[in-house]
């Protein structure tokens, strides 16, 4: 059975969809607090350096491989090399399935908190009250699963529309909304008394904080904030027409991803400093710290609604790419119709996410290698499968199919030589260092 392969309707649609994949919840909460813990501007400089060198190179590789094969990761490895290489693609897709399963639970939290923001019940100036609210929500046996289902359905609704009419159309709507929400919150944050000191602290480099661990954090964030390591960008690259260059598109995606991370810092950091709160609060920053800021502002409920709407949009643009990546296995390899594939996968992802949600409440006593189910899923994907997949993709491009890369990457001279040795040596060693650091 032969099917016509989908493709992006425009280069802008491709760039916005890929940038949306990269811009997830991590860019909103993780970058500001990691920057706060690692020397402010010094960390930002390293993050930008790694993003526009190693991260850009790996992104270009994934786009190029996908476009050349016109297939997702498994089909790409099979079509370009065969042998056991498709197993590397399968590992990436399995990683994406596990990742999406628990990511959808967290995406559901953002929707749940958006509803609570409309009620006004997340606005409090007492940290203990906010902590209790968050704990009660995630430990509840019902509501986190309901919000997880709603989030999975929202993702399904977009991916059902296909590449051009679903993902591309949604990206053209959601990404501008994300930027507008961020800019509105940044303007409010920067107009708070004392916000200038927070912005200055965010950007001022403290080079005494540069340690091997800090460099590793910047390197890891640069790689995986670009949605690398599962093959998602290979899948998105496979919808690029053969005659369309991807070099400038890769540069745009890196630039947009870095811009969102820095804008998130400007949105959060000055506000927290203005209210004397700790920007290094970690994941709790999103649900247990920022509401204190909103509760202390005029029209705080409006800003709380905007903030959690922003988080929901960021989560959704990433989850769409994960579902599409998983679907490519069945769309490409078995030529199955899109609708039953994405519906069945969404149901499977929902069911796989239920234990992750329950492990924070009724099933909290269940342990997998000393971790609850949610943390075990997160650890296996982030610290093992994604780095291994990234290493294999780099080695494959640099050694197994380098003539194809040389022809299609759009580079020449020293830049092409740099990409070659990045694939063959630098990227595998750098990602291996991330893997070993996180084990």
């Amino acid at each position: 059975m032969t099917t016509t392969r989908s493709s992006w309707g425009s280069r802008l649609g491709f760039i916005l969809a890929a940038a949306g994949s990269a811009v997830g919840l991590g860019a909103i909460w993780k970058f500001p607090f990691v920057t706060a813990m690692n020397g402010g501007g010094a960390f930002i400089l390293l993050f930008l350096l790694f993003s526009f060198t190693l991260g850009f190179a790996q992104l270009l590789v994934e786009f190029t491989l996908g476009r050349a094969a016109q297939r997702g990761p498994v089909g790409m490895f099979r079509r370009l090399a065969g042998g056991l290489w498709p197993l590397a693609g399968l590992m990436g897709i399995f990683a994406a399935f596990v990742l999406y399963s628990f990511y959808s639970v967290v995406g559901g939290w953002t929707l749940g908190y958006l509803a609570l923001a409309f009620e006004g019940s997340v606005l409090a100036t007492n940290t203990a009250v906010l902590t209790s609210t968050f704990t009660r929500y995630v430990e509840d046996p019902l509501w986190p699963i309901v919000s997880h289902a709603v989030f999975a359905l929202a993702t399904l609704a977009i991916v059902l529309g296909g590449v051009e009419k679903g993902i591309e159309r949604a990206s053209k709507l959601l990404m501008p909304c994300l930027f507008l929400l961020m800019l509105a919150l940044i303007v409010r944050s920067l107009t708070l008394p004392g916000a200038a000191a927070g912005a200055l602290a965010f950007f001022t480099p403290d080079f005494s904080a540069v340690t091997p661990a800090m460099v590793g954090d910047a390197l890891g964030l640069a790689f995986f904030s670009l949605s690398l390591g599962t093959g998602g960008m290979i899948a998105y690259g496979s919808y690029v027409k053969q005659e369309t260059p991807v070099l400038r598109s890769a540069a745009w995606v890196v630039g947009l991803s870095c811009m969102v991370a820095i804008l998130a810092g400007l949105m959060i950091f000055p506000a927290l400093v203005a209210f004397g709160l700790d920007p290094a609060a970690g994941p709790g920053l999103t649900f247990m710290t920022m509401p204190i800021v909103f509760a202390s502002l005029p029209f705080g409920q409006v800003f709380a609604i905007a903030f959690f709407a922003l988080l929901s949009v960021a989560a959704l643009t990433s989850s769409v790419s994960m579902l599409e990546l998983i679907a490519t296995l069945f769309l490409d390899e078995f030529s199955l119709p899109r609708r039953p594939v994405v519906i069945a996968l969404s149901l499977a992802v929902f069911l796989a996410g239920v234990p992750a949600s329950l492990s924070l409440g009724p099933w909290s006593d269940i342990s997998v290698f000393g971790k609850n189910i949610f943390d075990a899923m997160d650890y296996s994907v982030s610290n093992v499968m994604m780095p291994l997949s990234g290493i294999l993709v780099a080695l494959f491009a640099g050694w197994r199919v380098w003539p194809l890369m040389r022809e299609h990457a759009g580079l020449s001279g020293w830049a092409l030589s740099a990409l070659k040795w990045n694939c063959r040596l630098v990227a595998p060693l750098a990602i291996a260092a991330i893997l070993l650091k996180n084990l």
Side-chain angles (χ1 to χ4, degrees):
M1 179 174 161
T2 302
T3 57
T4 302
R5 185 164 181 80
S6 302
S7 62
W8 302 109
S10 65
R11 192 164 73 96
L12 175 64
F14 165 52
I15 290 170
L16 289 177
S21 174
V23 175
L25 290 173
I28 310 299
W29 67 260
K30 189 170 186 178
F31 183 81
F33 98 78
V34 173
T35 301
M37 295 172 60
N38 286 286
F43 181 85
I44 294 173
L45 288 172
L46 279 175
F47 170 76
L48 291 175
L49 174 65
F50 290 139
S51 294
F52 280 96
T53 54
L54 302 180
F56 167 75
Q58 189 79 356
L59 181 63
L60 178 60
V61 163
E62 293 205 8
F63 280 167
T64 303
L65 291 174
R67 186 192 57 180
Q70 296 287 287
R71 288 291 182 271
V74 173
M76 180 277 291
F77 281 116
R78 178 180 51 76
R79 178 167 283 190
L80 299 184
L84 296 177
W85 280 107
L87 294 177
L90 275 176
M91 180 174 66
I93 287 178
F94 179 69
F97 179 86
V98 177
L99 174 60
Y100 179 29
S101 298
F102 69 82
Y103 189 89
S104 180
V105 173
V106 181
W109 297 350
T110 68
L111 293 179
Y113 260 67
L114 178 58
L116 294 176
F118 274 104
E119 288 181 5
S121 56
V122 296
L123 300 178
T125 55
N126 188 315
T127 305
V129 171
L130 289 169
T131 301
S132 175
T133 300
F134 178 71
T135 302
R136 284 199 313 272
Y137 185 85
V138 300
E139 290 182 353
D140 190 274
L142 175 62
W143 290 113
I145 293 176
V146 171
S147 60
H148 162 46
V150 173
F151 185 83
L153 283 172
T155 305
L156 168 64
I158 293 173
V159 178
L160 267 179
V163 174
E164 185 176 353
K165 293 183 179 178
I167 300 172
E168 182 172 350
R169 185 176 293 175
S171 298
K172 287 180 176 179
L173 172 65
L174 292 174
M175 289 302 289
C177 285
L178 183 141
F179 280 107
L180 288 174
L181 288 168
M182 288 193 86
L183 290 174
L185 289 164
I186 287 168
V187 169
R188 187 65 188 98
S189 178
L190 291 177
T191 54
L192 294 170
L200 190 63
F202 179 64
F203 285 113
T204 301
D206 176 11
F207 293 108
S208 66
V210 178
T211 63
M214 182 264 230
V215 173
D217 285 341
L219 182 61
L221 200 57
F223 264 111
F224 301 119
S225 67
L226 290 173
S227 201
L228 301 169
T230 59
M233 292 306 193
I234 294 174
Y236 272 15
S238 73
Y239 297 124
V240 177
K241 295 172 183 175
Q242 288 281 15
E243 65 273 14
T244 304
V246 293
L247 182 64
R248 290 176 61 190
S249 298
W252 270 105
V253 171
V254 174
L256 289 172
S257 176
C258 290
M259 183 169 67
V260 168
I262 292 172
L263 288 177
L266 270 178
M267 178 178 70
I268 291 173
F269 211 99
L272 296 182
V273 171
F275 284 95
L277 301 172
D278 183 11
L285 181 72
T286 302
F287 300 101
M288 292 178 281
T289 306
M290 284 302 290
I292 296 175
V293 174
F294 304 132
S296 307
L297 292 174
F299 307 106
Q301 185 176 2
V302 174
F303 291 106
I305 291 169
F307 179 72
F308 288 109
L310 166 68
L311 290 180
S312 300
V313 169
L316 192 57
T317 56
S318 288
S319 65
V320 163
S321 70
M322 296 179 209
L323 179 55
E324 181 64 24
L325 164 62
I326 304 163
T328 60
L329 174 63
F330 303 93
L331 300 177
D332 291 344
E333 302 307 299
F334 303 102
S335 297
L336 296 175
R338 173 174 289 270
R339 179 172 290 271
V341 164
V342 295
I343 290 174
L345 286 175
S346 295
L347 178 60
V349 161
F350 167 72
L351 294 174
V354 169
S357 181
L358 293 175
S359 72
L360 301 173
W363 292 5
S364 59
D365 57 335
I366 298 176
S367 177
V368 180
F369 298 110
K371 302 178 185 296
N372 65 32
I373 297 170
F374 187 102
D375 290 340
M377 293 170 76
D378 185 7
Y379 184 89
S380 64
V381 172
S382 303
N383 297 332
V384 181
M385 287 187 278
M386 286 176 66
L388 283 176
S389 180
I391 290 170
L392 289 172
V393 168
L395 291 173
F396 179 77
W399 293 99
R400 184 65 178 81
V401 293
W402 177 249
L404 179 144
M405 287 296 304
R406 182 176 58 219
E407 181 181 352
H408 293 281
L411 297 173
S412 60
W414 67 267
L416 183 63
S417 181
L419 180 67
K420 174 182 177 180
W421 290 107
N422 182 76
C423 292
R424 291 187 171 187
L425 190 63
V426 179
L429 289 177
I431 301 173
I434 297 170
L435 188 154
L436 293 172
K437 174 182 178 293
N438 292 334
L439 285 179

